[in-house]
Amino acid sequence: QVQLQESGPGLVKPSGTLSLTCAVSDGSISNTNCWSWVRQTPGKGLEWIGEICQSGSTNYNPSLKSRITISADKSTNHFSLRLDSVTAADTAVYHCARGGGDGAYYDWGQGTLVTVSS
Amino acid sequence: EIVLTQSPGTLSLSPGEGATLSCRASQSISSTYLAWYQQKPGQAPRLLIYGTSNRATGIPDRFSGSGCGTDFTLTISRLEPEDFAVFYCQQHDSSPRTFGQGTKVEIK
């Protein structure tokens, strides 16, 4: 079982940039299909943000596409999320997850709460 | 975007009872690309079922999934105390991947 751990600031100011990193252990980000970010709020539930795949290609949720960048660093076995121009609506628990070839998420990070507030 | 609608919103049941959870899609989904997750408070979702009916590693056989097209079902044959949680369906047939809003299975 792959272990994932999110890290990053818990508080971001409105109009600022949210940056999170997911550390992967007991597995290599080079050896599986795709690595995703999913966020969760009481109001909207679980929302897929986007993914970076083994090939280096990325896929983003169209609702967030203009503000998202997902990248991966194979040398450190991390992948990252950058979300620009945040508002209070971006306040959520952010999870990173490992996607299998069938698109299901087999392993998840515990999640990290990010609050957007001045 | 494919919308997944789960019902009921809440199920109040006793340990030992069976549970049937529904997930209806706004358009047809390949059975390969429908998954179910369980989430307990303060924890990450856990994969239960992938490909509509395949149990993930370590998932007890009291959990089963079925369905096709737009209608999918998660069945728990006999609820154990540790099964009470929120359950989500998810589709990955088309982008963006989407989740249902969840069904809470609570102790009656």
Side-chain angles (χ1 to χ4, degrees), chain B residues 5-108:
Chain B
T5 302
Q6 293 186 240
S7 62
T10 302
L11 268 176
S12 297
L13 297 167
S14 301
E17 291 190 290
T20 301
L21 287 66
S22 173
C23 175
R24 177 161 291 179
S26 59
Q27 61 192 76
S28 185
I29 297 170
S30 166
S31 60
T32 301
Y33 300 121
L34 193 286
W36 290 90
Y37 302 85
Q38 177 192 52
Q39 187 177 33
K40 298 179 181 179
Q43 297 184 15
R46 176 176 72 145
L47 179 66
L48 294 176
I49 301 286
Y50 64 94
T52 296
S53 59
N54 302 290
R55 280 186 298 277
T57 301
I59 302 304
D61 60 7
R62 62 181 180 273
F63 291 92
S64 63
S66 62
C68 65
T70 60
D71 291 302
F72 298 87
T73 300
L74 175 70
T75 302
I76 311 171
S77 58
R78 294 174 312 280
L79 284 162
E80 297 288 340
E82 63 268 25
D83 296 338
F84 292 89
V86 180
F87 295 83
Y88 297 95
C89 57
Q90 181 225 353
Q91 67 83 22
H92 29 277
D93 192 349
S94 67
S95 188
R97 304 176 183 203
T98 51
F99 294 84
Q101 82 281 14
T103 290
K104 181 179 182 179
V105 179
E106 64 177 22
I107 299 177
K108 186 174 181 180

Side-chain angles (χ1 to χ4, degrees), chain A residues 34 36 38 40 46-48 51 59-62 95 101-106 108-110, chain B residues 1 32-33 35 37 39 42-47 50-51 88 90 92 95-99:
Chain A
C34 296
S36 291
V38 176
Q40 186 168 23
L46 290 161
E47 180 181 26
W48 178 72
E51 65 187 5
N59 299 293
Y60 298 147
N61 191 320
H95 296 277
D102 54 7
Y105 295 117
Y106 286 78
W108 293 69
Q110 184 69 17
Chain B
E1 172 174 320
T32 301
Y33 300 121
Y37 302 85
Q39 187 177 33
Q43 297 184 15
R46 176 176 72 145
L47 179 66
Y50 64 94
Y88 297 95
Q90 181 225 353
H92 29 277
S95 188
R97 304 176 183 203
T98 51
F99 294 84

Side-chain angles (χ1 to χ4, degrees), chain A residues 3-80:
Chain A
Q3 308 295 322
L4 300 99
Q5 180 65 58
E6 307 88 351
S7 61
L11 181 65
V12 181
K13 293 188 186 309
S15 76
T17 295
L18 181 158
S19 294
L20 296 174
T21 296
C22 182
V24 178
S25 55
D26 298 326
S28 170
I29 64 171
S30 300
N31 294 340
T32 196
N33 283 291
C34 296
W35 303 89
S36 291
W37 289 95
V38 176
R39 67 184 183 181
Q40 186 168 23
T41 62
K44 292 189 70 175
L46 290 161
E47 180 181 26
W48 178 72
I49 297 171
E51 65 187 5
I52 185 164
C53 297
Q54 186 180 13
S55 63
S57 65
T58 53
N59 299 293
Y60 298 147
N61 191 320
S63 68
L64 300 167
K65 187 174 184 177
S66 64
R67 300 192 290 131
I68 301 172
T69 303
I70 296 177
S71 59
D73 186 338
K74 294 181 181 180
S75 66
T76 58
N77 221 32
H78 290 67
F79 65 105
S80 299

